[in-house]
Amino acid sequence: MSEQLLDMTNPRLEAPYDRRALEALMGRFGSPLVMVDCDVVRAQFHALQRALPGVDLHYALKPLPERCVVTALKDIGGFFDLATTGEVELVRRAGVDPRRCIHTHPIKRDGDIRDAIRFGVRTFVVDNPDELGKFVRHRARAEVLLRVSFRNPAAAADLSRKFGCDPESVPAMLDLARRLGVKVVGLSFHVGSQSPDSQMHVQAIEACNELIVAAREAGHPLSVLDIGGGFPVEYQTPQMPIDDFCAPIRTALAALPRGLRLIAEPGRFIVAPAGTSLSTVVGRALRDGVWWFYLDDGLYGSYNGQMYDHADYVIRPLRDDGSRVKAVLAGPTCDSIDVVREGIELPLLEIGDVIVGRTMGAYTSSSATDFNFIRRAKVVAVNEFLASAHDE
Ligand SMILES: *Cc1c(COP(=O)(O)O)cnc(C)c1O
């Protein structure tokens, strides 16, 4: 069992799986798969906890809303960030304490609010007067954070374009909330996913610091600051270690008024490195001197993150005999846009060969489709399975 998974150019991406174990996994569960390693989920959570001491980490479910992830995080003291009734249901079934959850979708139907309140969630997020108005009837059982927008053109996904109120409108929102009798307990922001550095987080924390001080002077005792997600992981481009990324954030947080409850909403950082995509070559053709290898997973499946999430995954064949041909990796649908990678060199693959995609836990299976009736990858928690495969 000593044969390592892949000849990885980046040793930090290496995982303790070997070929036989992966083949056994696919023999059992089929193809395509996204295998999730909860040891990595726990390690990522602990790494971010060490980098942000004193900050409660609420895992945002949307990048990988899987029971195994929720349970793993629940067991090590994690908190949760919910945005939809489906996510409320998932944590409820996993036995999560609702007091460890917040609901952060800035735009909600009344039914979404009711479902979350019925579960026991108390803290919600709003960013405009109409949304504040929705909480008048729930004001005895709910309190809100005001989401403030700080534009971040550098992030892969600039979430402040769609959500958040201008910092300048915070005092008026606080006054309106008071007139409506809705309790505002703090501020939140999300600077955008896969932030290249922490400057946006720092600027946003500093701006919120001023807003919180001004609010307190105006008689609004805000006690929570939620610094959102955006913590980056390494795809093909090297990324600074999370402790270095968070060092300026720690400094900015230390300058806040004492006694605030600090929250972060990491999604990608917790789960991206825990997920590995396994797909299979189901056909091949030599077209104009280039080998096209057709996979059973593609842009409409796990690799949708290359379009929607702008992610650039490390992709390798499981078996590599050292030969190289000009190659294209294509997805399984009949759509010509469904090409995973082109202009690359690969060994001359055969039908049945396995392709491995690294760091594919976040925004992959969760946003995949069954377009063309091609079933999306099955998500498999591998820890116990691999442990038993190693013992054989
Ligand atoms: C998607 C989302 C997150 C998670 O963001 P990451 O960049 O994946 O860490 C956190 N909070 C909210 C409100 C989100 O919509």
Side-chain angles (χ1 to χ4, degrees):
M1 299 298 285
S2 61
E3 188 177 8
Q4 278 302 302
L5 169 60
L6 292 168
D7 158 34
M8 300 302 299
T9 50
N10 183 343
R12 275 181 295 166
L13 294 176
E14 205 149 324
Y17 309 130
D18 56 44
R19 229 174 97 181
R20 215 188 79 181
L22 292 188
E23 282 166 358
L25 189 78
M26 296 180 86
R28 165 87 181 275
F29 296 102
S31 175
L33 297 179
V34 171
M35 60 172 200
V36 178
D37 184 341
C38 289
D39 288 341
V40 178
V41 169
R42 286 183 277 268
Q44 290 294 103
F45 181 87
H46 286 135
L48 191 55
Q49 215 171 32
R50 280 192 301 275
L52 292 174
V55 179
D56 289 340
L57 301 182
H58 285 251
Y59 168 59
L61 266 72
K62 82 175 178 297
L64 189 62
E66 291 292 330
R67 172 80 173 249
C68 60
V69 175
V70 171
T71 302
L73 292 171
K74 173 189 149 220
D75 290 347
I76 57 173
F79 296 80
F80 297 90
D81 168 3
L82 314 172
T84 61
T85 293
E87 294 178 358
V88 168
E89 274 305 297
L90 176 52
V91 297
R92 191 183 60 72
R93 283 198 301 271
V96 171
D97 182 343
R99 288 169 298 186
R100 300 183 78 79
C101 302
I102 57 176
H103 191 292
T104 64
H105 201 312
I107 304 292
K108 299 160 288 301
R109 295 166 297 190
D110 194 53
D112 301 323
I113 301 172
R114 283 176 196 282
D115 290 340
I117 288 178
R118 196 175 302 124
F119 170 52
V121 175
R122 190 173 162 78
T123 306
F124 293 81
V125 167
V126 302
D127 71 357
N128 68 77
D130 287 293
E131 202 71 15
L132 208 46
K134 293 178 189 173
F135 282 89
V136 171
R137 65 171 68 168
H138 304 297
R139 63 192 171 192
R141 281 163 301 161
E143 57 192 30
V144 301
L145 303 173
L146 279 189
R147 177 151 163 186
V148 188
S149 86
F150 301 98
R151 298 297 301 274
N152 183 11
D158 178 6
L159 294 178
S160 284
R161 189 171 80 91
K162 184 165 173 181
F163 298 122
C165 62
D166 291 335
E168 300 75 46
S169 63
V170 168
M173 286 284 287
L174 290 172
D175 290 341
L176 173 62
R178 176 182 287 155
R179 285 201 299 281
L180 296 173
V182 177
K183 190 172 179 200
V184 180
V185 292
L187 303 181
S188 80
F189 60 81
H190 193 304
V191 299
S193 210
Q194 185 71 359
S195 242
D197 62 53
S198 50
Q199 267 324 102
M200 279 305 302
H201 285 90
V202 168
Q203 285 171 27
I205 292 165
E206 288 171 354
C208 286
N209 193 345
E210 288 177 22
L211 291 168
I212 289 169
V213 169
R216 287 181 168 191
E217 280 165 8
H220 300 285
L222 303 183
S223 59
V224 179
L225 178 62
D226 176 347
I227 66 171
F231 306 96
V233 299
E234 187 156 308
Y235 295 108
Q236 296 212 44
T237 314
Q239 199 66 55
M240 72 176 94
I242 194 62
D243 194 63
D244 296 349
F245 182 91
C246 289
I249 297 179
R250 289 196 292 275
T251 306
L253 292 177
L256 290 167
R258 301 261 145 237
L260 283 184
R261 181 183 175 217
L262 301 175
I263 290 176
E265 305 167 354
R268 180 193 309 277
F269 183 82
I270 303 294
V271 291
T276 303
S277 156
L278 299 173
S279 57
T280 303
V281 176
V282 295
R284 62 177 195 176
L286 185 61
R287 306 168 59 78
D288 294 330
V290 177
W291 275 101
W292 283 63
F293 300 114
Y294 301 87
L295 307 177
D296 56 6
D297 203 350
L299 283 197
Y300 288 94
S302 309
Y303 288 91
N304 77 85
Q306 291 189 175
M307 298 199 72
Y308 293 127
D309 190 38
H310 316 285
D312 190 13
Y313 309 113
V314 172
I315 305 175
R316 296 275 189 279
L318 184 57
R319 187 182 62 80
D320 191 347
D321 61 8
S323 68
R324 287 294 177 268
V325 296
K326 288 195 174 117
V328 173
L329 285 177
T333 70
C334 298
D335 187 351
S336 60
I337 199 180
D338 189 7
V339 168
V340 173
R341 198 135 305 168
E342 53 192 319
I344 55 173
E345 300 213 319
L346 288 174
L348 181 57
L349 300 175
E350 289 168 18
I351 291 171
D353 265 330
V354 172
I355 294 294
V356 180
R358 286 287 183 182
T359 319
M360 284 185 64
Y363 305 111
T364 54
S365 64
S366 68
S367 40
T369 73
D370 298 328
F371 177 49
N372 237 180
F373 279 100
I374 291 165
R375 289 256 288 283
R376 73 191 73 186
K378 201 179 287 172
V379 179
V380 179
V382 291
N383 306 76
E384 283 147 40
F385 179 82
L386 283 181
S388 59
H390 272 277
D391 292 342
E392 273 166 19

